[in-house]
Amino acid sequence: MLYTFSRSPFQCDLSALLRLTTDEDAILFLQDGVLATLKDADVLNILLNNLASLYVLENDLAARGLVGQNSDKILAIGYTHFVDLTTKHRQHLAW
């Protein structure tokens, strides 16, 4: 399953989302969700201990002036790779 996370980690329960994921899933952080991928984010260690593949939309990082401030352990991708994720994961849950 593909999970898209578009809310600030300060406005929702990211831990609840992570309890739903498996190693076959992918999580894409976009819009304000990119804040969860920053190097100094409180939730970053929780994310990195998760089994799902982690991605962040680089256009949304750029729109917020955060390029280079995200963890290098979370793959920054463009829209083409986003489309690839949606075709690979037929089920989608927007968070």
Side-chain angles (χ1 to χ4, degrees):
M1 179 174 293
L2 173 63
Y3 295 88
T4 53
F5 189 81
S6 61
R7 297 182 191 158
S8 167
F10 305 108
Q11 296 178 332
C12 57
D13 187 2
L14 184 57
S15 298
L17 166 69
L18 297 175
R19 285 192 296 268
L20 299 173
T21 61
T22 70
D23 60 344
E24 296 179 9
D25 297 327
I27 303 173
L28 173 63
F29 297 91
L30 53 116
Q31 299 174 359
D32 287 341
V34 301
L35 298 174
T37 69
L38 299 181
K39 292 176 186 173
D40 60 352
D42 292 336
V43 297
L44 186 60
N45 286 332
I46 297 169
L47 289 176
L48 297 177
N49 288 324
N50 186 38
L51 297 176
S53 300
L54 303 173
Y55 304 93
V56 60
L57 196 60
E58 57 192 351
N59 287 48
D60 287 340
L61 284 170
R64 287 156 181 78
L66 299 173
V67 173
Q69 297 180 43
N70 58 304
S71 171
D72 57 357
K73 295 180 181 173
I74 299 176
L75 183 62
I77 63 170
Y79 287 112
T80 302
H81 195 170
F82 183 8
V83 172
D84 293 340
L85 286 174
T86 62
T87 57
K88 178 181 176 184
H89 301 279
R90 297 288 181 182
Q91 295 180 320
H92 174 226
L93 178 64
W95 200 272

